Amino acid sequence: MTEKGYLALVLHSHLPYVRHPEDNSALEEDWLYEAITETYIPLINVFNELINQKTTFKLTLSLSPTLISMLTDNLLQNRYSKYLDNLIELSEKEINRTADQPQFNTIAKMYNNKFKLAKKIFNKYNQNLINAFKELQDFGVLEVITCTATHGYLPLMNNYPEAIRAQIRVGIQTYQNNFHQKPKGLWLPECGYHPGIDKYLWQEGIRYFFVDTHGILNAKPKTYYANFAPIYCPSGVAAFARDEESSKQVWSSNEGYPGDYDYREFYRDIGFDLDYEYIKNYIHPEGFRKNTGIKYYKITGNSDYKEVYQPKVASKKADIHAANFLFNRQAQINHLNNKMDRPPIIVSPYDTELFGHWWYEGPIWLKYLLKQIYDKQNEIKLITPSQYLDKYPVNQVAIPSLSSWGAFGYNQVWLDDSNDWIYPPLHRATEKMIDLANQLSSPDRLQAQILNQLARELLLAQSSDWAFIMKTNTMKEYAIRRTNEHLENFNNLVEQLTQNQPDLEYLKELEEKNNIFPNINYRIYQSTNNENYKEVSV
């Protein structure tokens, strides 16, 4: 039987570049370590388990260049290995502490097994998980794509084509250096699109990108198939739109699956619950309490009262929710199939860190879903965007509208009273970078070193994460500090360069600390009038 439609599951994996060689216990580095333990390794295990079971599946996985850089960094790899050893030790203490509490003891053993398995998998891939993702792509179950260099929010760089081009080009170069091929697609940070951005993707050989639902629903001219088929931008690059219904079922903690009362409670961790003297060696050395990843309770309800987590019950619930998700997609496909002259594609993109970190059962749910799609039906087929374009190369030409997948759907998250102060200095730095790149076309070795570090500092300052964190007021002081530090580094280097008074020790310190993109060439910021592309008529 020919499938009636397609489902494109897209996992966007990104973390801001956090690397503090000067601090052995930087709290923010835990963002990476938690994601590795709770999301990336569990998903790698799920994918390998399905391969071993001969289950056919296909997903799209986006890895941001900052995340790729951190996963391949020796310092962070060594620190993560020690982080895991610490968790294994703590979980063994917990097994002893809960010996006369059967429910808790079962969960303590679960964590101990999980941490030991994580250590085994981490070492299997020589402490470099990019090796795992590359292996899965080579095997044919993942289509790995990438993002812009530091997840810079492109619509707010629209007056600086050189800055947009630099973000895209460095991102692609980082991907190529690690996967030895060009990515077929590119994830626009925050799904942030401004008409015309696609032409820069075309110039770099990118076939497709993603926008939020209204990015295509508000396209000009109006689209024939709403958001259930891609459109070609005037440049020839395809845009796929997020499906709102399937997103809400997985995203929403109120209306979606993650909020189910049988699932693990994220906000009850022994790092905060247990006696300080007992836990002090496993939290911050200065005494700050923090998450350890060991959590014993389920969501239970909306009150502070929490019952003990039951892994088997949660696993069964994940199976039920996977079946429900598939049922809803089948109903959706059957409805759309009668209204279109081609099989529709439902694009369901999610932040990868939702699966396992925020929603502990997410990887299990995904495993059940992929298994059920393979075993129990033939109406829906998993597909990647590039595969869909191969099957259906003729698509409507239209211009997506300005859009993002942030709250309110446009630029408000990254441009409001909490963070608008960052843009004047960012724009000034961008203009200076472009001017210097154009003026110094034949620098000496030291000048080139400084120019390359200037490019790194500017890219790091442009990360959309800092504005987002300021808006959400989560780790606001850190986001402000990082923005100011990179801008200060940039301005100091500009002064040293223009006055011909380089501080070699200062430059070396920055190169060692902010060592991202080792092969960067500042000339990516040089202006060019040769766009070298021809737009398709709309």
Side-chain angles (χ1 to χ4, degrees):
M1 178 180 174
T2 303
E3 55 271 7
K4 294 182 178 180
Y6 299 96
L7 175 64
L9 293 170
V10 183
L11 304 181
H12 174 50
S13 319
H14 167 66
L15 289 171
Y17 191 69
V18 175
R19 180 182 182 274
H20 292 287
E22 79 286 358
D23 185 355
N24 288 324
S25 53
L27 282 171
E28 295 78 15
E29 281 187 6
D30 283 2
W31 298 344
L32 174 66
Y33 308 147
E34 290 171 359
I36 292 174
T37 310
E38 299 171 0
T39 294
Y40 307 144
I41 287 178
L43 286 176
I44 289 167
N45 287 334
V46 162
F47 299 149
N48 282 325
E49 184 179 338
L50 289 170
I51 289 170
N52 292 335
Q53 294 172 356
K54 310 297 183 186
T55 299
T56 301
F57 65 98
K58 192 81 175 186
L59 300 181
T60 303
L61 178 76
S62 156
L63 295 172
S64 74
T66 50
L67 179 58
I68 291 172
S69 298
M70 290 188 291
L71 289 176
T72 55
D73 184 87
N74 288 334
L75 172 70
L76 295 176
Q77 289 168 348
N78 291 333
R79 285 183 173 179
Y80 175 67
S81 186
K82 293 175 183 176
Y83 172 91
L84 263 184
D85 289 340
N86 214 35
L87 285 182
I88 292 169
E89 180 181 289
L90 176 59
S91 61
E92 288 170 350
K93 283 185 65 174
E94 280 298 281
I95 291 172
N96 293 329
R97 186 183 71 84
T98 60
D100 59 350
Q101 300 171 288
Q103 279 186 296
F104 290 95
N105 191 251
T106 298
I107 302 171
K109 289 177 179 176
M110 176 192 77
Y111 285 122
N112 182 253
N113 290 333
K114 176 179 178 175
F115 299 147
K116 287 179 177 177
L117 179 60
K119 182 82 171 180
K120 180 180 178 181
I121 296 298
F122 190 59
N123 290 333
K124 173 186 174 183
Y125 292 105
N126 297 318
Q127 301 193 346
N128 182 353
L129 294 185
I130 296 302
N131 292 331
F133 295 123
K134 185 178 184 299
E135 181 180 276
L136 290 163
Q137 173 159 261
D138 292 343
F139 195 81
V141 297
L142 292 186
E143 180 166 293
V144 182
I145 62 172
T146 194
C147 184
T148 63
T150 57
H151 216 261
Y153 187 67
L154 301 186
L156 296 180
M157 300 181 201
N158 197 50
N159 290 332
Y160 304 101
E162 298 90 347
I164 294 174
R165 188 182 295 112
Q167 279 277 350
I168 293 169
R169 191 166 291 173
V170 174
I172 292 172
Q173 289 171 351
T174 302
Y175 177 94
Q176 284 183 280
N177 290 341
N178 288 274
F179 289 90
H180 313 300
Q181 63 184 58
K182 268 202 168 185
K184 295 176 181 177
L186 190 133
W187 181 275
L188 294 179
E190 320 296 358
C191 285
Y193 177 80
H194 187 286
I197 284 175
D198 52 279
K199 69 183 179 184
Y200 304 106
L201 303 181
W202 185 92
Q203 290 167 359
E204 301 301 326
I206 296 297
R207 295 185 66 188
Y208 66 85
F209 64 96
F210 302 95
V211 293
D212 200 36
T213 316
H214 58 291
I216 280 187
L217 294 184
N218 295 336
K220 293 182 180 180
K222 186 175 180 180
T223 55
Y224 303 138
Y225 304 121
N227 57 301
F228 300 108
I231 60 173
Y232 284 127
C233 299
S235 63
V237 182
F240 288 81
R242 178 171 72 121
D243 173 61
E244 205 165 343
E245 184 181 329
S246 61
S247 294
K248 189 182 241 185
Q249 283 186 287
V250 177
W251 264 118
S252 175
S253 60
N254 296 321
E255 303 172 58
Y257 308 131
D260 188 275
Y261 290 169
D262 284 325
Y263 288 149
R264 193 188 73 163
E265 173 60 72
F266 177 83
Y267 295 102
R268 285 290 301 273
D269 188 284
I270 65 169
F272 295 90
D273 284 353
L274 296 187
D275 180 73
Y276 174 77
E277 286 301 317
Y278 174 84
I279 204 72
K280 67 180 181 181
N281 292 331
Y282 306 96
I283 55 177
H284 195 275
E286 295 181 20
F288 306 127
R289 298 233 180 205
K290 67 173 189 176
N291 285 324
T292 65
I294 298 179
K295 307 169 194 289
Y296 286 119
Y297 297 96
K298 63 181 181 179
I299 294 173
T300 310
N302 295 323
S303 70
D304 291 336
Y305 170 73
K306 304 296 175 185
E307 295 176 358
V308 180
Y309 179 62
Q310 299 180 58
K312 290 183 179 179
V313 173
S315 179
K316 289 180 181 177
K317 188 61 67 76
D319 195 16
I320 293 169
H321 284 157
N324 177 258
F325 184 89
L326 178 56
F327 173 82
N328 288 328
R329 300 293 74 73
Q330 288 172 309
Q332 201 175 5
I333 289 289
N334 284 321
H335 172 73
L336 292 168
N337 189 259
N338 295 323
K339 298 179 181 295
M340 295 174 61
D341 64 357
R342 66 175 67 188
I345 179 171
I346 295 173
V347 179
S348 302
Y350 311 102
D351 274 342
T352 309
E353 290 74 28
L354 170 68
F355 294 86
H357 178 61
W358 297 108
W359 178 23
Y360 186 69
E361 295 76 16
I364 307 172
W365 174 87
L366 186 60
K367 179 179 76 173
Y368 288 144
L369 174 64
L370 298 178
K371 191 76 174 161
Q372 290 178 27
I373 289 173
Y374 177 76
D375 285 341
K376 297 186 177 180
Q377 58 85 50
N378 54 15
E379 295 172 313
I380 297 177
K381 185 175 180 180
L382 290 168
I383 201 169
T384 68
S386 68
Q387 287 178 318
Y388 191 88
L389 292 174
D390 289 341
K391 281 179 174 286
Y392 303 98
V394 178
N395 292 285
Q396 181 183 1
V397 178
I399 302 173
S401 70
L402 173 69
S403 54
S404 80
W405 74 347
F408 309 112
Y410 296 97
N411 295 339
Q412 294 96 316
V413 171
W414 299 275
L415 182 63
D416 81 338
D417 291 344
S418 67
N419 54 33
D420 59 2
W421 63 270
I422 71 175
Y423 293 102
L426 279 175
H427 293 336
R428 287 194 294 271
T430 300
E431 291 167 3
K432 192 64 180 178
M433 186 73 235
I434 296 167
D435 288 343
L436 289 170
N438 289 327
Q439 292 167 13
L440 299 174
S441 57
S442 300
D444 61 33
R445 184 190 60 79
L446 182 55
Q447 287 175 323
Q449 263 186 274
I450 295 173
L451 287 163
N452 289 338
Q453 192 61 34
L454 280 170
R456 292 187 188 99
E457 299 297 338
L458 176 56
L459 289 169
L460 288 168
Q462 288 174 332
S463 171
S464 70
D465 301 278
W466 312 139
F468 179 82
I469 292 171
M470 292 176 206
K471 169 67 175 175
T472 56
N473 200 26
T474 46
M475 298 283 285
K476 186 174 181 177
E477 290 183 5
Y478 181 75
I480 291 172
R481 189 185 97 202
R482 284 294 301 274
T483 303
N484 285 330
E485 276 184 6
H486 293 303
L487 287 170
E488 183 179 352
N489 293 341
F490 183 91
N491 292 328
N492 288 341
L493 288 174
V494 167
E495 184 176 357
Q496 292 176 24
L497 181 64
T498 55
Q499 294 184 5
N500 197 25
Q501 294 180 336
D503 183 336
L504 298 182
E505 188 174 335
Y506 178 71
L507 176 60
K508 182 181 178 182
E509 179 185 323
L510 291 183
E511 288 177 329
E512 291 178 352
K513 180 179 180 181
N514 300 327
N515 66 343
I516 195 169
F517 314 135
N519 299 320
I520 198 169
N521 188 326
Y522 76 95
R523 290 183 177 87
I524 54 172
Y525 280 99
Q526 288 179 343
S527 302
T528 174
N529 294 319
N530 179 20
E531 297 296 351
N532 194 30
Y533 82 100
K534 182 179 179 181
E535 290 193 348
V536 180
S537 298
V538 177

